[in-house]
Structure formats: structure tokens, C-alpha cells
Amino acid sequence: MINEMLVQFAEWLYATGGSRAIEESFYLYNWIETTHVLTIMVCLGMLAFIDLRMLGYALPNVSASTIADRLNVPMMIGFALMFITGLLLFYAKPTYTNQSIWFRIKMVLLVVAFFNAIRFHRHMKASASTWCNEPRAPFNLRVSAALSLGLWAGVVTTGRLIAYDWYHCYRDLPGWLSAAAGCVAE
Amino acid sequence: MELLPFFEWAETTFLGYIGKTYGGVYATFGQSLHLMALAVLGGSVLVADLRLLNVIMKDVPSEIVTEQAHKWFRIALVMIISTGIFMAAAVAQRMYHNDFFWAKMSALLVGIIFVFAIKRPLLKGSHADLNPIVIKMVASASILVWFSVAATGRWIGFSG
């Protein structure tokens, strides 16, 4: 049911003029994708430094809350650009992307990363004053930081794999994979 | 010097064989790790250069920030070059004829020379002794060159 609705929505998006214009423009589509990759350097680059600081591997002699506070702004600017360009990339190829198992895994990982970030900030706010000058964060924050690095590595990997159609609906897929990829009967 | 034979040979190596034969290995251990290393490299460049430009972490001495960021820059650079060699080996002959590949290699070379021959020696001592305009020019050039490396790298896939 949900897959049918998603397919209908993707087909509607695909039929809009904006979607066709982006996909059919060599320079527009490729520059959106290039910007999406460049924002990885901004958003995930900053995120990596925050997480590595919590784990004690980067800037251990600088207060952890200082790192988190100061890098948060450029990270969020990078994330906003990454999100907008990501939406545009989906908008350009909605029918293909909607039925990519990698895209779906990426979305799940993004949601988990989002909740992990909320948990991280909550713990950080509650406890930073007691340990922020220590070279390593307390155990629960280190777990969140490691999880964040792992989840974003997964987001990057699955994002890159969207380009590959190894498990796309026009392949011969097992039932569970076909359902997970959003394939619907013709 | 004729480089084509070297690129033809690269495709016949073990790395070239693995990358060409196993698409999953190529995509995950090549492309994905390359992107992750790019993220860390981008982070290290931006953390150091935005600090030098007085945009972030103004309350932390720039010497500490640039020194620590450079440690991660080196790690990311090694990862980028390693995964880049693996990816290029699989499609070496196509790379040889791809203009953006050479643009990226040129930008990468300029970036490496810039960091190790200009930026690092310049920033080794106290930054207070340096002309602030020079520091800002170096930081801006650094951001520009490394974002050019990333952009030209992405365009390899769009051409040839």
C-alpha cells in the first residue's frame, strides 16, 4: 500500500517540469550533485571533528563544549545545503531513487543519526560543565560519537551506492528485497 | 614522457583487477572510503582555515587548531590517495583520456605543494608574528584549492 503510494508520488514528481528540467540539464544536475558532495566536506567534516574530540582523538586540549558550540554553526549550514541539494537530486530522479534499496537504507540511517544527535546534545548539555576540559568525553557520549561516525559512514556509503542498480526492481529480486526496495507489481 | 603504457599496466595489476571485477568492492572500499576521507580532509581544512580567517573558534589559539587539524589532514590525504589509486587502477585507460582526471591531479599536486611547501612552514611559528593579511590569503587559497580538488574529482564521473 505504502509502496504503491510512493510510486504514484514519484511518478507525479517525475512528470513535473522542474524535475525534467533538472535531469535533462547536464550542467544543472551535475552541479547540484557536485554541491551535494562539497557539502559533505563542510557538514560531515565538522561533525567528524566534534565526534573525534569526544573520543579524544582531535583537539583534546581544547574544551569539548567549545568545539561542539563553535563547529555546530558551519556544520548546520553545510547540512542545510546538503539537505536542499539532496532534495533536488531526488526531485530530478524520483522514480529511480524511490525504488533504490540504498536510498531507503540511507533514509533509515539518517533518521537514526538524527535521534542519536538529539541524544548526544541532551547528554552534552546536561553534563558538559563537569568534564568538558577532559581529553575524552564520558562513556555514553563516546558511544554516541562513535555511533554518529558509523551512521554517517553508512549514509555516505549508501548514498554513493544509489548510483548502482544491482538490486533495482527490474532485476530478479527475492520477495523481501523487492518489498524493501519498494517494487510494485506492474 | 608517454604515460599511456603506465595506465595500461595499472589496469593489469591486482588492484586494477579487483576494482574491475568486483563492483561492490570498488564502490564501497574505493568510492565510499574516498568520500569519507574527503569529509575528514574537508573538516581539517575548514577547521584550520576558518580559524585563521577568524570565523570560528576565535577564543582558541590558531596555533593549536592548525596543528591538530593538520594531523587529521595528513591521515585523510593518505586515505584519499590510497583509495584514489585503487579507483583509478580499475579504469586507468579511461582516466588517461579524461580531462577532469588531469584537472584533479593538477589541483591535488598544487594542494599538496601548497600545504607542505608554503602553508605549513609559514604557520609553524607564532601566528602573531605574521601579517594578518598573509594569514587570511593563505587560508582562503587553501579552502579554494581543496574545494577545487573535490569538485574536479566529482566531475571525473560526469565526463569521458
Side-chain angles (χ1 to χ4, degrees):
Chain A
M1 179 67 179
I2 290 173
N3 281 335
E4 275 88 355
M5 282 167 64
L6 286 172
V7 166
Q8 280 174 8
F9 177 65
E11 283 171 349
W12 173 77
L13 274 183
Y14 185 84
T16 59
S19 172
R20 295 306 77 238
I22 296 172
E23 195 191 8
E24 286 161 16
S25 167
F26 177 77
Y27 287 103
L28 185 56
Y29 183 83
N30 290 344
W31 268 112
I32 292 171
E33 204 176 296
T34 304
T35 309
H36 195 63
V37 170
L38 293 181
T39 55
I40 288 176
M41 293 171 81
V42 184
C43 177
L44 299 194
M46 297 294 160
L47 181 90
F49 263 81
I50 295 172
D51 289 337
L52 289 169
R53 168 62 186 89
M54 300 305 150
L55 295 168
Y57 297 126
L59 297 150
N61 44 358
V62 180
S63 153
S65 55
T66 300
I67 300 284
D69 284 349
R70 307 299 190 273
L71 300 190
N72 201 40
V73 174
M75 182 182 77
M76 290 315 289
I77 292 171
F79 181 79
L81 286 170
M82 195 161 73
F83 187 73
I84 292 166
T85 50
L87 277 181
L88 289 172
L89 289 174
F90 179 84
Y91 180 49
K93 294 183 176 180
T95 49
Y96 173 88
T97 313
N98 170 51
Q99 292 188 322
S100 164
I101 185 70
W102 303 117
F103 173 75
R104 288 172 171 232
I105 297 171
K106 180 179 175 173
M107 290 304 109
V108 171
L109 292 174
L110 273 172
V111 170
V112 179
F114 173 74
F115 285 112
N116 182 54
I118 290 175
R119 179 182 177 273
F120 175 85
H121 281 286
R122 194 177 297 151
H123 281 284
M124 178 88 189
K125 256 190 173 164
S127 67
S129 58
T130 60
W131 62 268
C132 69
N133 288 319
E134 300 290 323
R136 290 202 311 171
F139 180 74
N140 60 351
L141 277 168
R142 291 207 307 274
V143 170
S144 273
L147 198 59
S148 162
L149 288 173
L151 287 165
W152 280 101
V155 169
V156 169
T157 303
T158 48
R160 187 65 200 94
L161 292 177
I162 292 171
Y164 295 92
D165 67 348
W166 305 318
Y167 304 111
H168 222 274
C169 293
Y170 44 75
R171 306 271 185 193
D172 191 17
L173 303 177
W176 66 270
L177 189 52
S178 177
C183 306
V184 292
E186 289 294 317
Chain B
M1 194 172 77
E2 183 53 66
L3 287 171
L4 185 58
F6 172 75
F7 281 76
E8 287 170 343
W9 167 80
E11 272 196 36
T12 65
T13 59
F14 179 66
L15 280 183
Y17 167 77
I18 294 287
K20 235 194 313 222
T21 315
Y22 303 102
V25 176
Y26 179 81
T28 46
F29 288 98
Q31 295 177 323
S32 300
L33 280 180
H34 200 66
L35 281 173
M36 286 175 220
L38 185 72
V40 177
L41 184 131
S44 67
V45 166
L46 285 173
V47 164
D49 293 335
L50 290 178
R51 172 62 191 91
L52 291 172
L53 288 167
N54 269 332
V55 176
I56 56 167
M57 292 200 285
K58 289 179 219 172
D59 48 351
V60 182
S62 56
E63 289 89 347
I64 292 175
V65 178
T66 50
E67 198 56 40
Q68 281 286 312
H70 186 69
K71 191 178 99 182
W72 284 98
F73 172 85
R74 282 197 312 251
I75 293 169
L77 187 65
V78 168
M79 253 181 88
I80 279 185
I81 293 174
S82 314
T83 51
I85 290 171
F86 171 63
M87 286 194 297
V91 286
Q93 292 187 62
R94 230 169 69 205
M95 289 299 103
Y96 178 82
H97 296 288
N98 188 310
D99 290 341
F100 278 101
F101 172 76
W102 292 109
K104 176 171 179 172
M105 290 306 108
S106 307
L108 183 64
L109 190 64
V110 168
I112 291 170
I113 291 170
F114 177 76
V115 167
F116 292 99
I118 299 171
K119 191 180 170 191
R120 283 293 291 165
L122 191 74
L123 298 175
K124 229 167 189 155
S126 166
H127 296 180
D129 300 337
L130 299 169
N131 184 334
I133 295 172
V134 172
I135 292 182
K136 285 181 173 55
M137 280 171 68
V138 165
S140 305
S142 168
I143 292 174
L144 192 69
V145 76
W146 290 107
F147 272 74
S148 301
V149 172
T152 49
R154 188 61 200 95
W155 275 78
I156 291 172
F158 302 143
S159 57

